[in-house]
């Protein structure tokens, strides 16, 4: 291979990061309007989760429907699993390190709500336990996909009940149009600011929000296709399994929307959202994002299972997902009153060690 052929897959991954970042901003803007009448808990479990986890879902869709090779679902699994660990370690860590108060002043520590942490940790661990048990079989079956989707439904119901309890006695939250600044025609075009380009940045209507949503989904889908191409190419260049490339490069790229959303919250002093967003996203990733496209694929093709090749790397991945999530949960819950930068450095160290061990085991 010449130099350009070696570099090209990584350029594709970087380019897909760029596309996903701005396309997900636009997706969330329009989806927020469509979900404006949802209770906050249900909105968070649907609109917000879908917005930040759309890349992971589209990667699964791309491997099953666009590439037409069911064996590539292992690459999608690598992206989904790696994203769960990246979300659990890196995003909360960077949110803590870059946190500011409402006045924009950097803070040395943040405070979280223990009850909310325990709720989100319970559901993400439930989803991950179910996934690792299912991955221990020789086949991933239709009924497993159904169970994972049902787990997320229960999580959404729990969020709904919590949100109704918290809303008692409070005024109903009003929808506010989330404007994306007009950057000029060219910049609006390359940052997918479709509402400004086509509807003069007016508050959404049903028609304009649907048009913007469909365009955003098209960009996210195409970006996910490029991401899978980049992951497969990077595996060839580095001489590592495609599964590992998805685990590291694909997961980091697909987690860009989650990362940007949490950093924005942390710098606005909204620490609860900054940490809760990646945990809720992980629950969505390991259930709906992975299992719903599989369920549809099973039904369309009239089959009820896909073979899974059992080896040491898959076993290590299965248990490392829960182990890392448990470590993150303990670090945050035991220090919820004062989460310092030392906790953040510990989370980053866990991620680096995990990536190194996975490289040795899989590479």
């Amino acid at each position: 291979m010449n130099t350009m052929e070696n570099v090209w897959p990584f350029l594709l991954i970087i380019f897909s990061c760029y596309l996903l970042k701005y396309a997900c901003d636009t997706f969330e803007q329009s989806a927020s309007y469509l979900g404006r009448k949802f209770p906050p808990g249900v909105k968070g479990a649907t609109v917000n989760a879908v917005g930040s986890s759309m890349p992971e879902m589209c990667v699964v869709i791309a491997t099953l429907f666009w590439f037409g090779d069911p064996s590539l679902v292992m690459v999608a699994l690598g992206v989904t699993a790696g994203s769960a660990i990246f979300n659990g370690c890196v995003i909360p860590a960077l949110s803590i390190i870059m946190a500011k108060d409402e006045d924009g002043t950097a803070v040395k520590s943040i405070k979280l709500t223990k009850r909310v942490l325990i709720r989100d940790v319970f559901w993400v661990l439930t989803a991950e336990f179910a996934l690792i048990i299912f991955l221990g079989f020789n086949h991933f079956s239709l009924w497993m996909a159904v169970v994972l989707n049902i787990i997320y439904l229960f999580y959404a119901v729990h969020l709904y009940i919590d949100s109704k309890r918290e809303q008692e006695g409070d005024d109903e939250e009003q929808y506010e149009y989330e404007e994306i600044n007009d950057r000029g025609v060219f910049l609006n075009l390359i940052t997918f600011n479709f509402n400004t380009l086509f509807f003069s940045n007016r508050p959404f209507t049903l028609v304009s929000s649907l048009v913007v949503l469909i365009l955003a989904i098209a960009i996210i889908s195409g970006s996910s296709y490029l991401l899978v191409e980049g992951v497969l190419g990077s595996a060839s260049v580095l001489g590592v399994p495609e599964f590992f490339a998805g685990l590291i490069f694909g997961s980091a790229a697909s987690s860009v929307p989650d990362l940007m959303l949490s950093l924005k919250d942390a710098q606005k002093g909204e620490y609860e959202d900054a940490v809760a967003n990646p945990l809720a996203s992980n629950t969505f990733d390991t259930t709906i994002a992975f299992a719903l496209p599989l369920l549809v694929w099973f039904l369309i093709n009239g089959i009820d299972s896909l073979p899974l090749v059992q080896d040491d790397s898959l076993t290590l991945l299965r248990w490392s997902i829960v182990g890392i999530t448990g470590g993150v949960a303990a670090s945050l819950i035991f220090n919820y009153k004062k989460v310092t930068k030392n906790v953040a450095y510990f989370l980053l160290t866990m991620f680096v060690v995990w990536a190194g061990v996975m490289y040795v085991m899989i590479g």
Side-chain angles (χ1 to χ4, degrees), residues 25 36 64 69 111 119 130 143 173 180 189 200 214 222 233 235 257 276 320 325 330 336 339 352 358:
D25 283 349
R36 66 195 183 281
L64 289 172
D69 183 357
K111 183 178 180 179
R119 179 197 67 196
W143 68 266
E173 184 179 344
I180 297 177
L189 184 62
S200 303
I214 291 169
S320 69
T325 303
Y336 74 96
V339 186
V352 171
M358 293 304 297

Side-chain angles (χ1 to χ4, degrees), residues 1 15 38 55 69 109 120 124 149 162 212 235 238-239 280 284 289 361:
M1 287 187 180
F15 184 51
F38 291 2
D69 183 357
S109 64
D120 290 338
V124 73
N149 282 283
D162 271 7
V212 170
L238 296 175
F284 186 91
M361 289 291 296

Side-chain angles (χ1 to χ4, degrees), residues 134 137 141-148 295 298 304:
F134 294 158
F137 289 82
S141 304
L142 185 147
W143 68 266
M144 297 176 183
V146 170
V147 170
L148 289 174
L295 178 60
F298 283 142
D304 59 7

Side-chain angles (χ1 to χ4, degrees), residues 108-166:
K108 295 182 178 179
S109 64
I110 65 174
K111 183 178 180 179
L112 302 171
T113 303
K114 187 176 184 180
R115 181 183 61 81
V116 173
L117 265 178
I118 291 175
R119 179 197 67 196
D120 290 338
V121 165
F122 169 79
W123 283 109
V124 73
L125 284 175
T126 298
E128 289 178 356
F129 264 121
L131 181 62
I132 66 167
I133 289 172
F134 294 158
L135 293 179
F137 289 82
N138 291 324
H139 289 78
F140 190 91
S141 304
L142 185 147
W143 68 266
M144 297 176 183
V146 170
V147 170
L148 289 174
N149 282 283
I150 289 174
I151 288 173
Y152 193 81
L153 177 62
F154 282 131
Y155 172 56
V157 170
H158 190 170
L159 287 177
Y160 173 77
I161 293 171
D162 271 7
S163 70
K164 297 300 288 185
R165 185 184 301 122
E166 291 169 4

Side-chain angles (χ1 to χ4, degrees), residues 6 58 62 72 94-95 136 152 154 169 177 184 186 192 214 234 236 241 244 264 307 330:
N6 287 334
C58 283
L72 289 181
L94 294 181
S95 297
Y152 193 81
F154 282 131
Y177 170 58
F186 178 71
F192 316 124
I214 291 169
S234 67
S236 177
F244 177 78
K264 286 179 185 177

Side-chain angles (χ1 to χ4, degrees), residues 6 30 38 49 66 82 87 97 108 119 122 162 165 175 182 187 193 196 210 227 239 242-243 256 265 269 275 291 317:
N6 287 334
S30 54
F38 291 2
W66 291 7
N87 286 355
I97 291 170
K108 295 182 178 179
R119 179 197 67 196
F122 169 79
D162 271 7
R165 185 184 301 122
Y175 164 76
D182 188 345
L187 289 178
N193 190 1
T196 299
L210 286 174
L227 177 57
E242 295 170 346
F243 177 62
V256 167
D265 287 336
V275 174
L317 174 66

